[in-house]
Amino acid sequence: MAAMARLQLLHLRAPFVKSSRVLSFPYSTNLRASHRRQFSGTPPLCCSYSSSESFPASNGGSSASIVGDLLDFLNESWTQFHATAEAKRQLIAAGFHLLNENDEWDLKPGGRYFFTRNMSCLVAFAIGEKYSVGNGFHVIAAHTDSPCLKLKPKSASSKSNYLMVNVQTYGGGLWHTWFDRDLSVAGRVIVRTSNGSFVHKLVKVKRPLLRVPTLAIHLNRTVNTDGFKPNLETHLVPLLATKPEEPSSESKEKSTLSSKDAHHPLLMQILSDELSCNVDDIANIELNICDTQPSCLGGANNEFIFSGRLDNLASSYCALRALVDSCVLPVDLSSEHAIRMIALFDNEEVGSDSFQGAGAPTMFQAMRRIIGSLSHQYIGESAFDRAIRQSFLVSADMAHGVHPNFMDKHEEHHRPEMHKGLVIKHNANQRYATSGITAFLFKEVAKIHNLPTQEFVVRNDMGCGSTIGPILASGVGIRTVDCGIAQLSMHSVREVCGTEDIDIAYKHFKAFYQTFSSIDRRLIVD
């Protein structure tokens, strides 16, 4: 039986194994030991791990590191659409059942389910076998989007014999970091099929296709003293190609008839080649500009992750893995009274007010439907309200680690460091949803499992960012804690976080699912 259980466990974890992508080198998440370790050879400058390789766990735990799997996830997830599609693939491979929001749901205790919205938002949940109507939901929420450049609806332009691609800025990016990078395009395309229907397809052009060049210092002598201050409308326009010579009248007429006026025919041809379809079959495109440099390990001891989109795909992946791994075997849900859930939203970087954002009632509508399906009868407001009162939400978004060159930007006693665990975010003006009660409960989970935590408040003389936490907490009144993994270079095209914090976050989230019920029932407030 033990052998069968191990085989079943390996089978259920199959979505995280990508053995064809093995490029291994020494790695340890125990940083205190890593300084004494000698490397056996020179590691590659950039690589992706095989998920099948086992690494030492952080903090003396017994489980293997998920850092290699995170790198694979990041390298797959160039856009919010790709991140959602990859999460979908992994959930299906792990045995979760795909639901459609347009259909009736027939749910059962012990079942594992998920649905997507707009292929950029995803909600997944596992129902405890001892669930009864009115019991709570234990939720980890994150977001799939990151600051980036997006193609304008009419992107084609040309200047000085260059073909240019007009873009718009999405979110609050550090836009100067996008200059002189090897860029490309990724996103989704609506394709017309032979029977006249339309299908949604994801596209990713992996080779460097675009570049935003900086102006030579000889033509901008004061840039190092006055600062680099590009005009985001006129200076942040990527080059696609040099302008071809004017075609003959016959070929020009043919090109005009077969191309899309809004975008360069050359770009449309590249997309059609990637999708193996005709240019005329492309009905619409929704594309991001993406950095082509792969996510990888960095630092002398491989203690860092260098990558784009860590904010907030690192949180999304840790939540996804924690949910999947907390209910691998049927016995994992046998004594659970609650419903374990993740909610990954789009459009957090621009305020969440969208059909697929946290400002929409997606998650709470799903909760009502789950309760209704499990009750097999009409559910009044009281059942949903009782469930919300017993629920708990972890809003997981990356945190500002202290910058060694700008330490004064942090409040003296609240300077989160890498490799020191999840950061609990506090703000008296409710820019974060953490309260004394929710912080205590979340830290108690960590305490029981011997996991470190840190705390953050912004300086009184600085503005404070926000998350989806307050949006969801105030939506129906669900208890919420805001937390995140400490990182540097937030909103840069290339960010950095600590490898050990990834494993700590994963363990903390998994422990939250497994032990929160027993902790919560011992707390008396009202």
Side-chain angles (χ1 to χ4, degrees):
M1 288 298 292
M4 288 296 294
R6 284 194 296 272
L7 286 173
Q8 185 177 9
L9 180 62
L10 289 172
H11 172 71
L12 288 170
R13 291 195 176 189
F16 311 109
V17 177
K18 297 184 178 178
S19 57
S20 63
R21 304 166 70 177
V22 176
L23 282 173
S24 62
F25 53 88
Y27 168 71
S28 172
T29 55
N30 188 336
L31 297 179
R32 288 166 292 282
S34 67
H35 295 290
R36 301 190 298 269
R37 175 173 49 79
Q38 296 296 318
F39 287 115
S40 57
T42 303
L45 292 178
C46 183
C47 79
S48 175
Y49 274 114
S50 163
S51 304
S52 60
E53 188 169 355
S54 178
F55 300 112
S58 60
N59 286 347
S62 59
S63 60
S65 171
I66 69 164
V67 168
D69 299 325
L70 171 64
L71 291 176
D72 283 338
F73 182 77
L74 291 167
N75 284 319
E76 289 290 334
S77 305
W78 280 20
T79 71
Q80 69 274 34
F81 307 119
H82 289 84
T84 305
E86 178 61 13
K88 173 182 176 180
R89 184 192 70 80
Q90 294 190 11
L91 286 166
I92 291 174
F96 281 67
H97 299 282
L98 175 61
L99 302 173
N100 190 315
E101 285 191 281
N102 298 327
D103 299 335
E104 289 286 336
W105 293 355
D106 182 17
L107 311 178
K108 295 177 174 58
R112 297 171 296 164
Y113 309 91
F114 77 100
F115 66 89
T116 64
R117 176 179 286 193
N118 190 52
M119 194 47 70
S120 62
C121 168
L122 179 147
V123 175
F125 54 96
I127 304 170
E129 290 189 13
K130 292 189 176 180
Y131 175 83
S132 61
V133 174
N135 288 356
F137 293 79
H138 299 160
V139 189
I140 302 175
H143 63 89
T144 59
D145 62 317
S146 303
C148 66
L149 304 176
K150 292 178 178 284
L151 265 65
K152 290 182 177 179
K154 294 183 179 180
S155 71
S157 68
S158 61
K159 301 175 185 177
S160 301
N161 284 326
Y162 289 104
L163 299 184
M164 316 288 287
V165 177
N166 293 325
V167 296
Q168 50 186 330
T169 56
Y170 175 83
L174 289 172
W175 302 121
H176 67 275
T177 65
W178 287 74
F179 284 74
D180 294 334
R181 301 291 302 186
D182 296 343
L183 306 175
S184 192
V185 295
R188 67 171 168 196
V189 177
I190 305 301
V191 178
R192 183 184 295 103
T193 65
S194 57
N195 63 8
S197 62
F198 298 92
V199 295
H200 153 111
K201 289 189 176 183
L202 299 186
V203 65
K204 181 196 300 180
V205 181
K206 295 183 179 180
R207 67 180 177 91
L209 192 65
L210 303 166
R211 197 169 181 91
V212 186
T214 49
L215 184 63
I217 193 170
H218 314 81
L219 305 176
N220 189 12
R221 292 286 186 180
T222 62
V223 65
N224 289 328
T225 55
D226 296 346
F228 183 45
K229 302 173 183 178
N231 182 295
L232 300 183
E233 178 63 24
T234 59
H235 298 156
L236 194 61
V237 185
L239 306 179
L240 173 66
T242 51
K243 191 174 182 180
E245 295 183 4
E246 285 294 324
S248 64
S249 58
E250 180 180 351
S251 60
K252 184 175 182 180
E253 180 182 358
K254 183 177 180 180
S255 173
T256 302
L257 291 172
S258 63
S259 67
K260 306 298 181 184
D261 294 334
H263 308 286
H264 287 299
L266 180 58
L267 176 61
M268 300 304 293
Q269 186 60 57
I270 291 171
L271 295 176
S272 69
D273 291 343
E274 289 286 332
L275 294 166
S276 299
C277 70
N278 296 322
V279 171
D280 287 342
D281 293 332
I282 298 178
N284 197 26
I285 64 174
E286 187 175 354
L287 301 179
N288 295 358
I289 304 296
C290 304
D291 186 22
T292 60
Q293 184 175 356
S295 304
C296 64
L297 294 184
N301 298 302
N302 296 318
E303 65 265 57
F304 302 129
I305 295 175
F306 297 157
S307 175
R309 307 174 303 282
L310 288 173
D311 179 18
N312 192 31
L313 292 184
S315 304
S316 296
Y317 186 71
C318 289
L320 172 69
R321 275 298 293 269
L323 176 64
V324 170
D325 291 354
S326 72
C327 53
V328 171
L329 300 175
V331 69
D332 293 333
L333 295 173
S334 61
S335 60
E336 179 61 80
H337 294 261
I339 296 175
R340 302 170 183 176
M341 176 180 282
I342 61 170
L344 309 180
F345 296 102
D346 192 4
N347 298 136
E348 188 275 345
E349 298 293 355
V350 292
S352 297
D353 291 332
S354 69
F355 171 71
Q356 56 274 355
T362 310
M363 186 178 79
F364 300 118
Q365 287 175 346
M367 289 177 172
R368 288 183 185 275
R369 296 186 67 176
I370 293 167
I371 295 171
S373 177
L374 292 172
S375 70
H376 302 292
Q377 61 184 2
Y378 173 75
I379 290 297
E381 282 294 312
S382 61
F384 176 73
D385 289 343
R386 284 187 291 117
I388 291 297
R389 295 295 84 74
Q390 298 187 71
S391 297
F392 193 92
L393 171 71
V394 177
S395 169
D397 204 348
M398 301 297 279
H400 298 287
V402 63
H403 195 304
N405 298 332
F406 300 91
M407 292 180 62
D408 60 337
K409 295 295 184 180
H410 275 72
E411 198 276 334
E412 181 180 2
H413 304 291
H414 298 85
R415 291 173 172 168
E417 300 178 27
M418 288 188 189
H419 319 301
K420 297 293 182 66
L422 279 174
V423 180
I424 312 298
K425 304 177 184 180
H426 301 263
N427 184 260
N429 297 306
Q430 297 302 297
R431 298 293 289 170
Y432 301 127
T434 306
S435 70
I437 296 297
T438 60
F440 163 75
L441 288 169
F442 196 58
K443 287 190 290 185
E444 193 68 12
V445 171
K447 182 179 178 181
I448 290 173
H449 292 266
N450 196 29
L451 296 168
T453 59
Q454 308 179 78
E455 293 179 289
F456 170 79
V457 294
V458 74
R459 289 171 55 108
N460 290 329
D461 56 359
M462 295 180 65
C464 183
S466 192
T467 68
I468 59 177
I471 297 172
L472 295 172
S474 61
V476 293
I478 185 173
R479 294 176 297 169
T480 302
V481 64
D482 266 298
C483 70
I485 299 167
Q487 73 162 101
L488 298 175
S489 304
M490 186 178 288
H491 288 194
S492 170
V493 73
R494 198 77 176 166
E495 300 171 321
V496 56
C497 72
T499 53
E500 192 166 0
D501 287 323
I502 297 299
D503 288 323
I504 294 173
Y506 159 70
K507 291 179 180 180
H508 199 149
F509 292 163
K510 187 177 177 182
F512 164 70
Y513 286 131
Q514 294 172 331
T515 62
F516 183 80
S517 292
S518 62
I519 297 170
D520 190 34
R521 69 171 62 103
R522 301 201 303 268
L523 176 67
I524 301 174
V525 178
D526 296 319

